[in-house]
Amino acid sequence: MARRYLVAGNWKMNGSKDYVADLSKALANESFDNVDVVVCPPACFLPLFEKQNFALAGQDISVHEGGAHTGDLSASMLAEVGCGYVIVGHSERRDDHGETSELVAQKAKAALAAGLVPLVCIGEPLEVREAGTEESYVGEQLVPLMNLLSDEELARCVIAYEPVWAIGTGKTASPAQAQAMHAYLRAQFAKRNAELAEGIQLLYGGSMKPENAEELLAQKDIDGGLIGGASLKAESFIAICQAAK
Ligand code: PGA
Protein backbone atom coordinates (compact mmCIF):
# COMPACT_ATOMS: atom_id res chain seq x y z
CA MET A 1 0.00 0.00 0.00
CA ALA A 2 1.37 3.40 -0.98
CA ARG A 3 2.18 5.68 1.92
CA ARG A 4 0.33 8.98 2.13
CA TYR A 5 2.18 12.27 2.39
CA LEU A 6 1.99 14.29 5.59
CA VAL A 7 2.90 17.97 5.78
CA ALA A 8 2.89 19.55 9.25
CA GLY A 9 3.39 23.22 9.99
CA ASN A 10 5.15 23.81 13.30
CA TRP A 11 4.53 27.43 14.29
CA LYS A 12 6.75 27.09 17.38
CA MET A 13 6.20 30.17 19.62
CA ASN A 14 4.84 32.25 16.75
CA GLY A 15 1.47 33.12 15.26
CA SER A 16 -1.58 35.07 16.33
CA LYS A 17 -5.37 34.94 16.33
CA ASP A 18 -5.25 36.70 12.97
CA TYR A 19 -3.05 34.00 11.50
CA VAL A 20 -5.42 31.29 12.77
CA ALA A 21 -8.18 32.96 10.74
CA ASP A 22 -6.02 33.69 7.68
CA LEU A 23 -4.53 30.23 7.40
CA SER A 24 -7.89 28.50 8.01
CA LYS A 25 -9.45 30.57 5.26
CA ALA A 26 -6.61 29.96 2.81
CA LEU A 27 -6.59 26.20 3.47
CA ALA A 28 -10.37 25.96 3.13
CA ASN A 29 -10.00 26.75 -0.58
CA GLU A 30 -7.60 23.86 -1.16
CA SER A 31 -8.10 20.15 -1.43
CA PHE A 32 -5.39 17.68 -0.58
CA ASP A 33 -6.47 14.18 -1.49
CA ASN A 34 -3.25 12.35 -0.95
CA VAL A 35 -1.78 14.59 1.75
CA ASP A 36 -2.47 14.72 5.47
CA VAL A 37 -2.14 18.41 6.36
CA VAL A 38 -1.42 19.15 10.01
CA VAL A 39 -1.20 22.53 11.75
CA CYS A 40 0.74 22.77 15.04
CA PRO A 41 0.07 26.19 16.60
CA PRO A 42 0.86 27.22 20.18
CA ALA A 43 -1.70 25.39 22.35
CA CYS A 44 -3.56 28.57 23.36
CA PHE A 45 -4.74 28.97 19.76
CA LEU A 46 -6.05 25.42 19.31
CA PRO A 47 -9.66 26.12 20.42
CA LEU A 48 -9.86 29.04 17.97
CA PHE A 49 -9.79 26.76 14.95
CA GLU A 50 -13.26 26.04 13.65
CA LYS A 51 -14.28 23.22 11.33
CA GLN A 52 -11.24 22.52 9.19
CA ASN A 53 -10.05 20.46 6.26
CA PHE A 54 -6.79 19.74 8.10
CA ALA A 55 -5.73 18.21 11.39
CA LEU A 56 -4.44 19.97 14.49
CA ALA A 57 -1.43 19.10 16.61
CA GLY A 58 0.10 20.16 19.88
CA GLN A 59 3.82 20.95 20.03
CA ASP A 60 4.56 18.97 23.18
CA ILE A 61 2.88 17.05 26.01
CA SER A 62 3.64 15.90 29.50
CA VAL A 63 4.17 12.21 30.19
CA HIS A 64 1.65 12.61 33.02
CA GLU A 65 -2.09 12.25 32.66
CA GLY A 66 -2.83 15.12 34.99
CA GLY A 67 -2.12 16.53 38.43
CA ALA A 68 0.38 18.95 39.94
CA HIS A 69 2.48 19.82 36.88
CA THR A 70 2.20 23.58 36.46
CA GLY A 71 2.49 24.74 32.89
CA ASP A 72 2.16 21.31 31.32
CA LEU A 73 -0.55 19.82 29.13
CA SER A 74 -1.64 16.20 28.93
CA ALA A 75 -2.25 14.25 25.75
CA SER A 76 -5.93 13.83 26.60
CA MET A 77 -6.34 17.61 26.97
CA LEU A 78 -5.01 18.10 23.46
CA ALA A 79 -7.33 15.38 22.19
CA GLU A 80 -10.23 17.08 23.92
CA VAL A 81 -9.65 20.36 22.06
CA GLY A 82 -9.51 18.58 18.71
CA CYS A 83 -5.90 17.53 18.16
CA GLY A 84 -5.14 14.37 16.23
CA TYR A 85 -1.36 14.69 16.53
CA VAL A 86 1.35 15.99 18.84
CA ILE A 87 5.02 16.75 18.22
CA VAL A 88 7.35 15.08 20.71
CA GLY A 89 11.13 15.37 21.02
CA HIS A 90 11.66 18.43 18.87
CA SER A 91 15.33 19.44 19.07
CA GLU A 92 14.31 22.76 20.63
CA ARG A 93 12.63 20.86 23.48
CA ARG A 94 15.67 18.61 23.81
CA ASP A 95 17.97 21.68 23.91
CA ASP A 96 15.84 24.11 25.92
CA HIS A 97 14.45 21.59 28.40
CA GLY A 98 17.02 18.80 28.48
CA GLU A 99 14.57 16.22 27.12
CA THR A 100 16.17 12.82 26.63
CA SER A 101 15.22 10.16 24.12
CA GLU A 102 13.88 8.08 27.03
CA LEU A 103 11.50 10.88 28.00
CA VAL A 104 10.53 11.41 24.37
CA ALA A 105 9.64 7.72 24.08
CA GLN A 106 7.42 8.04 27.17
CA LYS A 107 5.73 11.08 25.64
CA ALA A 108 5.07 9.11 22.44
CA LYS A 109 3.52 6.35 24.55
CA ALA A 110 1.34 8.87 26.42
CA ALA A 111 0.21 10.37 23.11
CA LEU A 112 -0.77 6.99 21.70
CA ALA A 113 -2.67 6.11 24.88
CA ALA A 114 -4.81 9.23 24.36
CA GLY A 115 -5.41 8.41 20.70
CA LEU A 116 -2.99 11.01 19.34
CA VAL A 117 -0.41 10.32 16.64
CA PRO A 118 3.02 11.32 17.94
CA LEU A 119 5.30 13.14 15.47
CA VAL A 120 8.57 11.95 16.95
CA CYS A 121 11.53 14.20 16.09
CA ILE A 122 15.11 13.02 15.81
CA GLY A 123 18.19 14.51 14.19
CA GLU A 124 21.88 15.15 14.67
CA PRO A 125 23.74 18.37 15.49
CA LEU A 126 26.34 19.82 13.12
CA GLU A 127 29.40 18.35 14.85
CA VAL A 128 27.95 14.87 14.53
CA ARG A 129 27.26 15.38 10.81
CA GLU A 130 30.84 16.70 10.37
CA ALA A 131 32.22 13.66 12.14
CA GLY A 132 30.20 11.43 9.80
CA THR A 133 28.47 9.59 12.64
CA GLU A 134 24.93 10.84 12.00
CA GLU A 135 23.44 7.41 11.38
CA SER A 136 24.56 5.90 14.65
CA TYR A 137 23.57 9.09 16.52
CA VAL A 138 20.06 9.13 15.10
CA GLY A 139 19.79 5.34 15.44
CA GLU A 140 20.55 5.77 19.18
CA GLN A 141 17.78 8.33 19.50
CA LEU A 142 15.34 5.72 18.22
CA VAL A 143 16.38 2.95 20.61
CA PRO A 144 14.24 3.97 23.64
CA LEU A 145 11.21 4.36 21.36
CA MET A 146 11.78 0.94 19.82
CA ASN A 147 12.22 -0.58 23.28
CA LEU A 148 9.14 0.99 24.83
CA LEU A 149 6.59 0.61 22.03
CA SER A 150 5.06 -2.48 20.48
CA ASP A 151 5.04 -2.97 16.70
CA GLU A 152 1.42 -1.95 16.64
CA GLU A 153 2.21 1.25 18.56
CA LEU A 154 5.22 2.07 16.38
CA ALA A 155 3.01 1.70 13.32
CA ARG A 156 0.86 4.55 14.67
CA CYS A 157 3.88 6.91 15.02
CA VAL A 158 5.25 9.34 12.48
CA ILE A 159 9.02 9.96 12.56
CA ALA A 160 10.45 13.36 11.61
CA TYR A 161 14.13 13.47 10.72
CA GLU A 162 15.29 17.00 11.40
CA PRO A 163 19.04 17.60 11.21
CA VAL A 164 19.61 20.28 13.86
CA TRP A 165 22.03 22.15 11.59
CA ALA A 166 19.23 22.64 9.06
CA ILE A 167 16.54 23.92 11.44
CA GLY A 168 15.87 27.61 11.00
CA THR A 169 19.28 28.11 9.38
CA GLY A 170 18.29 28.25 5.73
CA LYS A 171 20.63 25.28 5.19
CA THR A 172 18.76 22.24 3.95
CA ALA A 173 20.01 18.69 3.80
CA SER A 174 20.48 17.88 0.14
CA PRO A 175 17.84 15.55 -1.27
CA ALA A 176 20.54 12.85 -1.41
CA GLN A 177 21.58 13.38 2.24
CA ALA A 178 17.96 13.37 3.38
CA GLN A 179 17.09 10.29 1.32
CA ALA A 180 20.14 8.42 2.66
CA MET A 181 19.07 9.05 6.26
CA HIS A 182 15.46 8.15 5.55
CA ALA A 183 16.52 4.89 3.92
CA TYR A 184 18.67 4.18 6.98
CA LEU A 185 15.71 4.85 9.29
CA ARG A 186 13.40 2.65 7.28
CA ALA A 187 16.02 -0.09 7.44
CA GLN A 188 16.07 0.19 11.26
CA PHE A 189 12.31 -0.42 11.33
CA ALA A 190 12.69 -3.24 8.79
CA LYS A 191 15.01 -5.09 11.17
CA ARG A 192 12.07 -5.15 13.51
CA ASN A 193 9.16 -5.75 11.12
CA ALA A 194 9.04 -5.42 7.31
CA GLU A 195 5.40 -4.35 7.22
CA LEU A 196 6.00 -1.67 9.84
CA ALA A 197 8.97 -0.32 7.86
CA GLU A 198 6.95 -0.20 4.66
CA GLY A 199 4.04 1.67 6.23
CA ILE A 200 5.64 4.15 8.62
CA GLN A 201 5.60 7.80 7.51
CA LEU A 202 9.04 9.41 7.64
CA LEU A 203 9.13 13.21 7.38
CA TYR A 204 12.00 15.53 6.65
CA GLY A 205 12.32 18.83 8.53
CA GLY A 206 14.87 21.62 8.36
CA SER A 207 14.46 24.71 6.17
CA MET A 208 11.99 23.03 3.85
CA LYS A 209 10.39 25.69 1.67
CA PRO A 210 8.46 25.92 -1.59
CA GLU A 211 11.70 26.15 -3.58
CA ASN A 212 13.15 22.86 -2.33
CA ALA A 213 10.06 20.91 -1.26
CA GLU A 214 9.33 19.21 -4.53
CA GLU A 215 12.78 17.68 -4.86
CA LEU A 216 12.91 16.56 -1.23
CA LEU A 217 9.42 15.08 -1.37
CA ALA A 218 10.23 13.22 -4.57
CA GLN A 219 12.75 11.06 -2.68
CA LYS A 220 11.65 7.49 -2.30
CA ASP A 221 11.68 7.34 1.50
CA ILE A 222 10.55 10.89 2.28
CA ASP A 223 6.84 10.93 3.05
CA GLY A 224 6.37 14.58 3.93
CA GLY A 225 7.75 17.48 5.87
CA LEU A 226 7.77 19.18 9.24
CA ILE A 227 7.84 22.85 8.35
CA GLY A 228 8.89 25.65 10.70
CA GLY A 229 9.56 29.09 9.21
CA ALA A 230 7.76 28.45 5.93
CA SER A 231 4.57 27.47 7.79
CA LEU A 232 4.19 31.03 9.10
CA LYS A 233 2.97 32.29 5.73
CA ALA A 234 -0.19 30.66 4.36
CA GLU A 235 1.10 30.95 0.81
CA SER A 236 4.37 29.13 1.39
CA PHE A 237 2.81 26.46 3.63
CA ILE A 238 0.15 25.74 1.02
CA ALA A 239 2.79 25.65 -1.73
CA ILE A 240 4.60 22.90 0.20
CA CYS A 241 1.34 20.97 0.70
CA GLN A 242 0.77 21.29 -3.05
CA ALA A 243 4.26 19.98 -3.74
CA ALA A 244 3.37 16.83 -1.79
CA LYS A 245 0.22 16.33 -3.84
P1 PGA B 1 12.45 25.21 9.90
O1 PGA B 1 12.00 24.40 11.21
O2 PGA B 1 11.57 24.76 8.78
O3 PGA B 1 12.23 26.67 10.25
O4 PGA B 1 13.88 24.90 9.65
C1 PGA B 1 11.64 23.06 11.13
C2 PGA B 1 11.32 22.54 12.50
O5 PGA B 1 11.96 22.93 13.47
O6 PGA B 1 10.39 21.73 12.67
Side-chain angles (χ1 to χ4, degrees):
M1 204 183 74
R3 291 182 299 273
R4 287 172 61 82
Y5 279 107
L6 191 156
V7 177
N10 174 14
W11 297 9
K12 310 188 179 183
M13 203 168 72
N14 297 296
S16 60
K17 283 162 80 170
D18 283 348
Y19 190 49
V20 169
D22 292 350
L23 182 67
S24 300
K25 197 166 150 216
L27 281 168
N29 296 324
E30 307 289 330
S31 71
F32 301 105
D33 291 346
N34 190 35
V35 190
D36 299 321
V37 175
V38 183
V39 175
C40 325
C44 56
F45 295 134
L46 287 166
L48 302 181
F49 284 88
E50 290 166 11
K51 191 172 175 304
Q52 328 100 18
N53 57 343
F54 52 90
L56 290 172
Q59 297 180 5
D60 181 48
I61 42 163
S62 167
V63 296
H64 302 291
E65 282 177 24
H69 304 287
T70 303
D72 287 346
L73 295 171
S74 72
S76 59
M77 288 173 184
L78 291 183
E80 198 176 340
V81 293
C83 286
Y85 296 79
V86 63
I87 299 171
V88 295
H90 191 281
S91 64
E92 288 151 17
R93 300 274 335 157
R94 292 175 189 256
D95 287 351
D96 293 354
H97 301 275
E99 295 194 4
T100 61
S101 296
E102 285 72 21
L103 183 77
V104 172
Q106 287 168 23
K107 289 188 175 196
K109 182 114 182 157
L112 290 165
L116 300 180
V117 173
L119 303 171
V120 184
C121 300
I122 52 177
E124 81 286 357
L126 184 60
E127 60 276 16
V128 170
R129 173 60 66 164
E130 284 175 347
T133 52
E134 64 274 6
E135 288 187 352
S136 57
Y137 184 94
V138 168
E140 283 293 313
Q141 288 183 315
L142 275 185
V143 169
L145 190 78
M146 297 270 205
N147 287 344
L148 190 65
L149 302 189
S150 68
D151 287 12
E152 182 271 325
E153 287 174 319
L154 286 169
R156 290 193 281 136
C157 294
V158 174
I159 308 294
Y161 168 60
E162 300 205 297
V164 179
W165 47 271
I167 295 179
T169 58
K171 273 191 217 162
T172 316
S174 69
Q177 281 175 322
Q179 166 54 29
M181 179 59 86
H182 282 237
Y184 168 78
L185 293 173
R186 209 174 292 288
Q188 302 315 296
F189 287 103
K191 282 187 201 161
R192 167 92 166 233
N193 178 319
E195 200 181 329
L196 165 68
E198 194 45 44
I200 195 163
Q201 284 174 313
L202 303 179
L203 314 185
Y204 169 79
S207 300
M208 197 189 269
K209 42 189 181 264
E211 300 80 55
N212 59 28
E214 204 163 320
E215 209 186 343
L216 284 161
L217 295 169
Q219 304 303 308
K220 180 170 164 283
D221 289 297
I222 301 185
D223 306 314
L226 183 53
I227 321 299
S231 74
L232 299 175
K233 284 211 176 88
E235 197 183 280
S236 52
F237 182 59
I238 288 172
I240 297 172
C241 298
Q242 297 286 7
K245 212 162 89 163

